[in-house]
Amino acid sequence: MSKSKTEQPLQSQLAALDAIVAWFTEGDFDLDLAATQYAEGVAIAQSIQQHLTKLENHITILKERFDAAEK
Amino acid sequence: MESVVLSVSDLLGLVNQTLEFAYPTVTVVGEVASFKVSRDKYVFFDLKDDTGLVSCFMTVYQLRTVIEDGMRVQIIAQPRLTGWGKFSLTVRDIQLVGEGHLKRSAQLLRAKLQAEGLFDATRKRSLPFMPQRIGLITSAESAAYADFIKILGQRWQGVEVLVANVQVQGLEAARQLTRAITFFNEQAQPVDVLVVIRGGGSIEDLAAFNEEPLVRAVAASRIPTVVGVGHETDTSLCDEAADVRAATPSNAAQLVVPDARAVLLGVEQHMNTLFTHFQHRVVIQTSSVKNHINHLTEQMRHRLQTLQQQTNTTAKLLRQLDPMKTLERGFAIVRDQEGKVVRRAVQQASAGSNVTIQLAHATITAGVIDVQE
């Protein structure tokens, strides 16, 4: 089963939000569909905001040594 | 004491053993003369000063910078006698000494690599917009590392940074940096971007970043590279070979990840645009429905008015045709004995018969005296 848009990686979510905004700016549209799209846009935006405010960077210093003699 | 008789080979072997024991390696500084590469494999040159000269030998693979006559170098070498009894230094490592020579060597190497197309703009790849895994090659104890991690954290979260802790200065630096680049490129799951950074320093401190094998490793990396070495004004050959040059280690962090605040602002602007468009559409639709209602109401009103007018006209006509109105004006309706309205007196009424005369407000029964037409 495919992931919902709010479960996708951040970059995909931003792309999805861009697409919704483009859809709205393209002109004529059905109001019912617009309501669905608007709700989806809001959900994606909230998900992105959560992503960006809750995540942390993970830093690992590798154990590999790079001073070994050349093979 | 008895003198020992030795063969020539034994003597050479004895001297070499003695040298190896007493001076396993020597570090010597001097000026290069008679520099020569033989069969693309072996390098021969003399190292000299004002009064002395010594022959040196090394393989071409150990040569990491461009050397030419007149350059001042520091070598680490093993002293030995050759089979022909010639004293020679077998060079393990060679490093240029002095800013002028380092610059000259870098210039020569730049020209060589440029001719190969290593710095061509067409080779440059763009960096991923939101890398999830970053390979960082630097000294983990350096200020450059601290700056990079700090700026990275200020700008973006949710990224995995794998740090290859290497020397970024000195004889070993270029080799370690090269190995780290190779290491990241050999991983089954490579990182999204490679970042090579080092803080500022003298031209000697940064010399490793102008060594040919390292510059080639940066250019050959299958992972996109960002190199930020020294200050803004320092440009190493590694910078030129990288996909993206960062002015400083902090700038490298700025280039490698987007700014979360800008992204959030963009999302906010997107939401405003969405809301505005949606609201606009709702207003348009509402206005359209209102117009329809107004139009219908107007049509109904008009229809009602027409019907009202028609009703009024009919009522007026009806009122005008009311027989009572005629009777009120003084007229009367005469009926015969059967109650029929008398229209032909001769046929319906005769002298002696009775008729009924209907007035507006009374009815009179009268006898007919005479009938004339």
Side-chain angles (χ1 to χ4, degrees):
Chain A
M1 205 167 79
S2 65
K3 286 181 178 177
S4 80
K5 282 181 182 163
T6 51
E7 288 172 325
Q8 289 174 356
L10 202 54
Q11 204 162 348
S12 305
Q13 289 191 43
L14 280 169
L17 188 59
D18 280 342
I20 290 174
V21 172
W23 183 85
F24 266 95
T25 52
E26 265 168 14
D28 239 13
F29 50 74
D30 175 76
L31 196 59
D32 288 338
L33 188 54
T36 311
Q37 291 275 65
Y38 180 74
E40 192 170 328
V42 171
I44 293 172
Q46 283 172 347
S47 170
I48 293 170
Q49 283 164 342
Q50 279 183 351
H51 247 89
L52 291 178
T53 48
K54 284 188 178 174
L55 291 179
E56 287 182 352
N57 288 339
H58 293 280
I59 295 152
T60 309
I61 296 182
L62 297 170
K63 287 176 184 166
E64 278 79 6
R65 292 178 61 87
F66 300 98
D67 55 358
E70 277 189 89
K71 291 170 191 171
Chain B
M1 185 178 163
E2 266 187 59
S3 64
V4 181
V5 179
L6 299 168
S7 69
V8 174
S9 299
D10 287 344
L11 175 65
L12 293 173
L14 184 64
V15 173
N16 277 334
Q17 273 181 8
T18 309
L19 282 172
E20 201 175 322
F21 178 76
Y23 302 104
T25 57
V26 289
T27 303
V28 189
V29 174
E31 185 186 314
V32 174
S34 306
F35 184 88
K36 185 172 69 180
V37 177
S38 170
R39 287 185 284 167
D40 281 337
K41 276 187 185 172
Y42 309 110
V43 179
F44 300 94
F45 63 92
D46 294 331
L47 202 58
K48 65 176 187 178
D49 60 15
D50 290 342
T51 53
L53 182 144
V54 64
S55 296
C56 298
F57 163 80
M58 67 190 290
T59 65
V60 81
Y61 309 109
Q62 292 171 295
L63 206 54
R64 292 173 293 149
T65 50
V66 178
I67 304 284
E68 64 178 9
D69 286 353
M71 284 182 171
R72 192 168 168 77
V73 295
Q74 176 178 298
I75 60 168
I76 296 173
Q78 186 182 355
R80 62 187 290 271
L81 284 179
T82 67
W84 297 275
K86 188 181 173 190
F87 184 75
S88 166
L89 295 176
T90 302
V91 179
R92 283 188 188 173
D93 226 314
I94 183 164
Q95 213 176 7
L96 286 158
V97 176
E99 197 175 313
H101 300 310
L102 283 164
K103 281 184 176 170
R104 170 71 182 150
S105 174
Q107 272 175 3
L108 293 170
L109 184 57
R110 176 180 287 111
K112 176 183 166 186
L113 299 179
Q114 210 154 28
E116 290 182 28
L118 235 67
F119 306 141
D120 283 359
T122 51
R123 289 176 53 94
K124 309 292 181 194
R125 296 161 293 186
S126 52
L127 303 178
F129 176 54
M130 287 181 187
Q132 293 183 318
R133 297 173 78 228
I134 296 173
L136 178 61
I137 303 174
T138 192
S139 164
E141 291 85 37
S142 67
Y145 168 79
D147 287 348
F148 180 88
I149 295 296
K150 180 181 154 197
I151 301 296
L152 190 81
Q154 283 174 357
R155 289 176 65 84
W156 197 248
Q157 294 296 331
V159 75
E160 186 184 2
V161 184
L162 301 175
V163 185
N165 185 19
V166 295
Q167 286 181 24
V168 289
Q169 177 175 338
L171 272 178
E172 264 295 301
R175 270 195 282 265
Q176 290 192 18
L177 287 157
T178 308
R179 282 192 202 110
I181 291 172
T182 307
F183 168 82
F184 279 115
N185 274 277
E186 285 174 348
Q187 298 307 299
Q189 281 190 315
V191 292
D192 300 319
V193 62
L194 262 187
V195 181
V196 182
I197 51 168
R198 188 213 186 279
S202 67
I203 191 165
E204 284 91 350
D205 293 339
L206 307 180
F209 294 90
N210 285 330
E211 291 195 13
E212 188 170 348
L214 177 58
V215 180
R216 286 190 185 279
V218 170
S221 172
R222 67 185 173 120
I223 304 165
T225 50
V226 178
V227 175
V229 175
H231 300 300
E232 274 192 65
T233 48
D234 301 319
T235 305
S236 71
L237 297 183
C238 280
D239 285 306
E240 294 181 41
D243 290 304
V244 174
R245 176 194 178 245
T248 59
S250 299
N251 181 230
Q254 290 168 337
L255 291 170
V256 91
V257 289
D259 188 351
R261 286 164 296 191
V263 173
L264 282 171
L265 191 66
V267 168
E268 209 170 291
Q269 283 169 346
H270 271 3
M271 289 318 297
N272 288 339
T273 309
L274 270 188
F275 181 71
T276 306
H277 278 85
F278 185 54
Q279 194 183 37
H280 180 65
R281 179 53 53 177
V282 169
V283 167
I284 287 173
Q285 296 271 2
T286 309
S287 167
S288 170
V289 170
K290 272 183 183 169
N291 285 342
H292 276 93
I293 291 171
N294 287 342
H295 184 64
L296 281 173
T297 308
E298 193 53 40
Q299 277 190 329
M300 290 289 287
R301 189 179 292 127
H302 181 70
R303 181 78 184 134
L304 278 172
Q305 273 180 352
T306 308
L307 286 171
Q308 188 74 48
Q309 281 172 359
Q310 284 175 349
T311 308
N312 289 343
T313 308
T314 309
K316 195 175 172 185
L317 189 64
L318 281 171
R319 274 198 303 276
Q320 284 171 355
L321 294 173
D322 186 355
M324 285 301 287
K325 293 278 181 189
T326 310
L327 296 178
E328 278 175 355
R329 291 209 305 272
F331 291 91
I333 300 169
V334 179
R335 290 190 175 84
D336 61 15
Q337 288 176 335
E338 291 171 357
K340 291 178 181 172
V341 173
V342 177
R343 291 190 175 85
R344 301 290 299 268
V346 176
Q347 291 167 357
Q348 290 179 275
S350 56
S353 64
N354 288 337
V355 292
T356 306
I357 303 165
Q358 186 184 347
L359 304 174
H361 302 292
T363 304
I364 301 168
T365 304
V368 178
I369 299 169
D370 188 24
V371 179
Q372 289 182 357
E373 284 199 3

